[in-house]
Amino acid sequence: MDPLLISARFCGPNSSGNGGWSAGALASHVPERGLGTASEVTLHRPPPLEHALRVCTFDDVATLLDGDDVVATARAVVDCPTPVPGVAAEIARAAESRYPGLVDHPFPHCFACGPQRAEGDGLRLFPGTVDDVDARPRVACTWTPDPSLAGSDPELVDAPVAWAALDCPGAWSVDLAGRTIVLGRITAVLDALPRIGEEHVVVGAQLGRDGRKWHTASTLYDADRRVVGRAEHVWFEIDPAAFS
């Protein structure tokens, strides 16, 4: 078993890990998962922060454990998410002023999309509505990775951070007025790693709803409008008091 600790920097709600970052960290333990290959991560409970967790790997499944409790499971999958059509960087920049989270945010300190995170600390992804794709709402924003987000290569973003960037833009394609949703499952593939200091564009799109379950997708593009990563998500509506 391998240890895994989720730093408080990578929170979603104040008391638990950002779903995308936590999922990406666990996915790195799935055997033979690298660039261009997809992993599906299911979150069974909020990932605890600053707490010694363990990763158990068996065959092609990695399980994140808190004692004997299963926090999340990750497995290899063959089918990759379909990219959400991109938009020009200037359109994404303009959309940021329409980001609903600037006015009302259920988790304002979220590592990925929290407006109360400082520059260079959180990702400060502020996706605002741009238009519809096939009658499905689409949002977009820009993101220029800070040097503190680098992995082993100082010019490239660490993979869990890239997963985090693919997380919240999907959620904001849903009308969150009066509701709170949390990540239940994310399937993602990184075609490359984002480059530090380069402006990227992230787009999210709503795919559908089934009761309290929402389906969304997101795609990360580099400055040349090439796909860097793709994801699809399943979100669940919850009582906000559960994270108060």
Side-chain angles (χ1 to χ4, degrees):
M1 292 192 181
D2 298 317
L4 192 154
L5 184 142
I6 303 171
S7 166
R9 179 186 184 186
F10 305 123
C11 72
N14 287 342
S15 60
S16 59
N18 169 268
W21 192 96
S22 304
L26 180 59
S28 67
H29 291 266
V30 176
E32 300 182 6
R33 292 293 91 180
L35 295 179
T37 60
S39 296
E40 176 193 271
V41 182
T42 301
L43 299 171
H44 301 278
R45 60 176 55 203
L49 299 171
E50 301 291 350
H51 186 66
L53 305 174
R54 298 172 298 140
V55 178
C56 175
T57 303
F58 182 75
D59 288 339
D60 65 346
V61 177
T63 303
L64 184 61
L65 297 168
D66 180 10
D68 293 329
D69 295 329
V70 175
V71 176
T73 52
R75 68 184 184 95
V77 292
V78 175
D79 295 333
C80 293
T82 301
V84 177
V87 300
E90 56 268 25
I91 293 176
R93 273 188 239 108
E96 293 166 9
S97 65
R98 299 189 291 274
Y99 175 47
L102 295 175
V103 178
D104 183 17
H105 199 301
F107 309 121
H109 294 98
C110 174
F111 172 66
C113 65
Q116 293 186 22
R117 298 296 290 262
E119 293 278 358
D121 179 27
L123 304 188
R124 292 178 60 83
L125 302 176
F126 299 158
T129 301
V130 286
D131 57 15
D132 289 0
V133 174
D134 298 329
R136 294 167 175 168
R138 181 170 61 157
V139 297
C141 64
T142 61
W143 174 46
T144 302
D146 185 79
S148 67
L149 303 173
S152 56
D153 185 331
E155 295 186 355
L156 299 175
V157 166
D158 198 18
V161 174
W163 278 63
L166 289 167
D167 178 12
C168 297
W172 288 102
S173 69
V174 174
D175 179 6
L176 296 182
R179 64 167 59 93
T180 299
I181 62 175
V182 294
L183 186 65
R185 176 173 292 162
I186 177 171
T187 303
V189 56
L190 298 178
D191 300 284
L193 290 174
R195 299 196 71 84
I196 298 295
E198 178 179 309
E199 185 179 56
H200 295 70
V201 170
V202 195
V203 290
Q206 188 185 129
L207 300 182
R209 181 183 184 183
D210 178 15
R212 69 184 188 95
K213 186 188 303 183
W214 291 85
H215 300 268
T216 66
S218 63
T219 303
L220 176 63
Y221 291 89
D222 67 13
D224 294 320
R225 301 186 72 169
R226 294 174 298 198
V227 173
V228 175
R230 302 161 273 157
E232 292 184 356
H233 325 82
V234 178
W235 305 86
F236 291 92
E237 289 191 34
I238 55 101
D239 180 357
F243 289 92
S244 62

